[in-house]
Amino acid sequence: MHKELRVAAYAVCVRDGQVLLARWVAGDGSRRWTLPGGGMDHGEDPYDTVIRELDEETGYAVEPVALLGVHSVQRRYPRENGGLADFHGVRLVYEGRVTGGTLRPEENGSTDLAAWHPLDDVRRLSRVELVDVGLQMWRERPPAGRVLA
């Protein structure tokens, strides 16, 4: 089984009772909302990753103001060559504050839309697990930086 490790950084940006989300486009064309952010480049600091990814996916300049926690996920899925992949994702979740820029969608990336959503409406959105995990971290501020999904 092929092992894959992906380290990524995301931001929970909340203002005026709304959270900033990006709409992720899966390989099969389905779309679900996620926290803006993404994979680290080799040698990149996660703090810089979240700043770069937020700019790419939303058009906003963002200041990471606190590390909320780390979320780890492991999944198995079929690979194109017929084998299986053992995927392990390590996600660093920051609280982010928008400091500038203009909201716009990502061009030629894994997301196709960015938007603010009222916190009370998030539970009705088609979303990935990371949205709930990130919002739980933002609300609870777990001392060890971990919540159970």
Side-chain angles (χ1 to χ4, degrees):
M1 184 174 312
H2 180 75
K3 294 180 181 177
E4 295 179 11
L5 174 64
R6 181 173 187 262
V7 181
Y10 298 87
V12 178
C13 299
V14 176
R15 74 174 185 203
D16 301 326
Q18 297 189 354
V19 62
L20 178 63
L21 299 176
R23 192 170 64 182
W24 172 64
V25 182
D28 65 4
S30 63
R31 290 166 166 77
R32 291 183 289 162
W33 292 98
T34 187
L35 294 178
M40 287 175 47
D41 292 335
H42 182 78
E44 186 177 36
D45 187 282
Y47 185 92
D48 297 326
T49 300
V50 76
I51 292 169
R52 174 182 54 78
E53 285 284 343
L54 268 287
D55 176 58
E56 290 174 6
E57 292 186 355
T58 70
Y60 284 133
V62 173
E63 175 189 9
V65 295
L67 178 62
L68 297 174
V70 178
H71 180 248
S72 181
V73 62
Q74 190 169 10
R75 296 191 176 98
R76 291 190 173 155
Y77 64 88
R79 297 183 76 211
E80 291 179 11
N81 66 4
L84 281 178
D86 181 3
F87 172 80
H88 181 196
V90 178
R91 301 148 164 187
L92 291 87
V93 181
Y94 290 89
E95 178 178 16
R97 183 175 61 86
V98 173
T99 60
T102 303
L103 184 64
R104 56 131 180 88
E106 182 176 24
E107 294 181 19
N108 303 314
S110 60
T111 64
D112 71 346
L113 188 62
W116 292 94
H117 296 272
L119 287 167
D120 291 340
D121 293 349
V122 169
R123 67 182 178 277
R124 291 187 285 279
L125 296 174
S126 177
R127 64 196 183 282
V128 301
E129 169 192 40
L130 182 60
V131 173
D132 297 331
V133 169
L135 285 173
Q136 185 178 356
M137 287 178 176
W138 177 76
R139 287 183 180 107
E140 296 177 6
R141 309 287 174 149
R146 181 172 186 249
V147 296
L148 298 177

